[in-house]
Amino acid sequence: MSLQQIFGWGTLRLAVAGIIGAHGWHRALTGGVEPFGQWLDNQGWPMGVLIAVAITAFEIIGTLFLALNRYVTLVCLGYVGIYATGIAILHAKVGWFVVGPGRNGAEFSALLILVLLSVAVHHWPSRRA
């Protein structure tokens, strides 16, 4: 792999780790875990607060693995599952746009999913004969 590719993929991996980490840390530090869990409960999810704790912990801990370039494919696929579920249970219902012509739409989550899938595929373990 060329130096440009190493820099480009590394920068993308670290940037997405920073964005996701900031999201998880913000929820954890501002008391957002319990309201998120209660919202999940109200949507019919069992043990909503426990799910919210698990998602928040994964958003924080998983980004450390991304930053350290470890288990990248698995972590990215975990995030894809979380954000695809978010689109299905919330964002798709309110539209596409996050801001501007809409609010809380799916566009940012869709972009994150595409970036995460790209990083996951790039780091996919290869079998060499």
Side-chain angles (χ1 to χ4, degrees), residues 9-11 13-14 16 34 37 44 59 64 67 72-73 88 95 114 118-120:
W9 283 107
T11 301
R13 182 176 42 78
L14 291 172
V16 77
E34 190 169 334
E59 284 181 327
L64 297 174
V72 173
T73 298
L114 291 172
S118 297
V119 174

Side-chain angles (χ1 to χ4, degrees), residues 11 18 26 29 32 44 50 57 59 86 93 99 112 116 127:
T11 301
H26 181 268
L29 296 175
L50 183 61
E59 284 181 327
K93 294 175 184 176
V99 296
L112 265 178
L116 288 161
R127 294 186 177 169

Side-chain angles (χ1 to χ4, degrees), residues 17-129:
I19 290 168
I20 293 171
H23 192 76
W25 277 109
H26 181 268
R27 185 184 306 115
L29 296 175
T30 62
V33 176
E34 190 169 334
F36 177 34
Q38 290 169 350
W39 181 84
L40 288 170
D41 282 334
N42 292 336
Q43 300 304 305
W45 288 76
M47 300 181 291
V49 174
L50 183 61
I51 293 170
V53 167
I55 289 171
T56 303
F58 189 70
E59 284 181 327
I60 293 169
I61 296 167
T63 57
L64 297 174
F65 285 99
L66 289 183
L68 295 171
N69 202 22
R70 300 286 184 251
Y71 306 107
V72 173
T73 298
L74 289 174
V75 171
C76 286
L77 293 177
Y79 288 136
V80 166
I82 290 168
Y83 300 131
T85 302
I87 288 174
I89 67 173
L90 171 67
H91 302 296
K93 294 175 184 176
V94 296
W96 177 251
F97 296 103
V98 174
V99 296
R103 178 156 160 58
N104 290 332
E107 69 178 329
F108 184 69
S109 295
L111 177 61
L112 265 178
I113 288 170
L114 291 172
V115 168
L116 288 161
L117 286 173
S118 297
V119 174
V121 168
H122 177 74
H123 286 82
W124 196 271
S126 63
R127 294 186 177 169
R128 297 181 185 177

